[in-house]
Amino acid sequence: MKAILFVIAVFAVAIGIAVTAASNRNLGEHAVALPAAQVAASESAGATHARVVFAGGCFWGVQAVFQHTDGVLAAVSGYAGGKAGDAHYGMVSTGRTGHAEAVEVTYDPRRITFGKLLQIYFSVAHDPTQLNRQGPDAGTQYRSAIFHVTPTQRQVAQQYIAQLEEARVFGDDRIVTQLVPLTEFFIAEAQHQDYATRHPGDAYIATFDRPKLEALQRLLPEVWRDKPVLVMTGN
């Protein structure tokens, strides 16, 4: 499905169809430099692990961004937000199960705050003004959503969205990111894990995801890590 959509997107450019600034923002070179969150989540005292699930288009790029983020212990591609009792790519890609392609981020709150993760998510991981579309991918399975694990995460996310809206960092476009309690997270198939690292020459990765990594390194160098934390090797 992604390959077909990518071919369509390339063809559209070739015949001169205009691409709006809003849809371009999720290509890393158009990433937005955002202010840090004014309020950071206070994790449990002494906590060494916390997790949250981010959805924002194809999980390949979102996973890669957080795998290159210092303080992140694991970033796993999967599916969240659906009604079905199970999920796999063939089901989710139809858009009928209610799931979104998502990434479970486990992080060390002593090294990186939830507020900093939000800054990364909203600035370079995806375009939060696009609800059910990111780049060439369209459908509810590509929606912008934060599946929060704790009430504090929801509160901080709400406050940060309000902060960004007040600052009009996206101009006239509104942030449409959904805030939803995490119920279940289904880990995606092995072929989708570490995809950007394993297939750097893939046309989709080179066009839509590599620029996100370049933007992360350029805009937030303090959190950039050269060696990604991978799923398949346990690094």
Side-chain angles (χ1 to χ4, degrees):
M1 180 64 71
K2 289 187 179 66
I4 294 173
L5 289 171
F6 177 63
V7 171
I8 293 174
V10 172
F11 178 73
V13 173
I15 64 175
I17 293 180
V19 180
T20 66
S23 64
N24 272 338
R25 267 201 304 267
N26 78 300
L27 309 183
E29 66 268 24
H30 297 282
V32 179
L34 299 181
Q38 293 176 348
V39 179
S42 57
E43 313 287 352
S44 300
T48 59
H49 292 70
R51 68 185 184 113
V52 65
V53 174
F54 292 115
C58 173
F59 44 26
W60 295 341
V62 177
Q63 181 188 44
V65 165
F66 287 108
Q67 287 181 323
H68 280 277
T69 298
D70 190 39
V72 168
L73 305 174
V76 181
S77 290
Y79 313 104
K83 297 180 180 179
D86 191 10
H88 58 76
Y89 187 76
M91 295 167 53
V92 175
S93 62
T94 67
R96 296 194 296 267
T97 70
H99 293 92
E101 291 194 12
V103 175
E104 181 186 55
V105 176
T106 303
Y107 61 100
D108 184 344
R110 300 169 302 176
R111 295 168 55 193
I112 189 168
T113 65
F114 179 62
K116 178 60 74 172
L117 294 177
L118 290 176
Q119 186 182 12
I120 295 166
Y121 171 71
F122 284 112
S123 62
V124 302
H126 84 307
D127 179 357
T129 70
Q130 299 291 300
L131 179 58
N132 295 321
R133 174 183 293 278
Q134 293 291 320
D137 300 315
T140 58
Q141 67 269 37
Y142 300 111
R143 64 188 179 274
S144 175
I146 298 173
F147 297 93
H148 52 86
V149 176
T150 69
T152 299
Q153 288 179 343
R154 179 181 179 86
Q155 180 182 13
V156 172
Q158 287 176 324
Q159 292 173 337
Y160 190 49
I161 290 173
Q163 176 187 339
L164 297 180
E165 293 279 54
E166 183 177 0
R168 295 178 59 83
V169 295
F170 297 111
D172 293 331
D173 295 325
R174 300 297 303 274
I175 294 174
V176 296
T177 304
Q178 301 172 343
L179 302 180
V180 186
L182 179 66
T183 53
E184 292 184 278
F185 178 79
F186 299 95
I187 297 176
E189 298 79 356
Q191 63 263 34
H192 293 298
Q193 305 299 340
D194 310 327
Y195 192 91
T197 298
R198 293 187 295 106
H199 302 281
D202 182 279
Y204 185 99
I205 297 300
T207 302
F208 298 106
D209 294 333
R210 188 184 303 155
K212 296 181 181 182
L213 298 179
E214 294 168 352
L216 177 65
Q217 187 173 16
R218 182 178 72 254
L219 297 178
L220 295 158
E222 70 276 13
V223 300
W224 171 260
R225 59 182 295 169
D226 288 321
K227 185 178 181 182
V229 54
L230 301 178
V231 174
M232 304 305 289
T233 65
N235 291 341

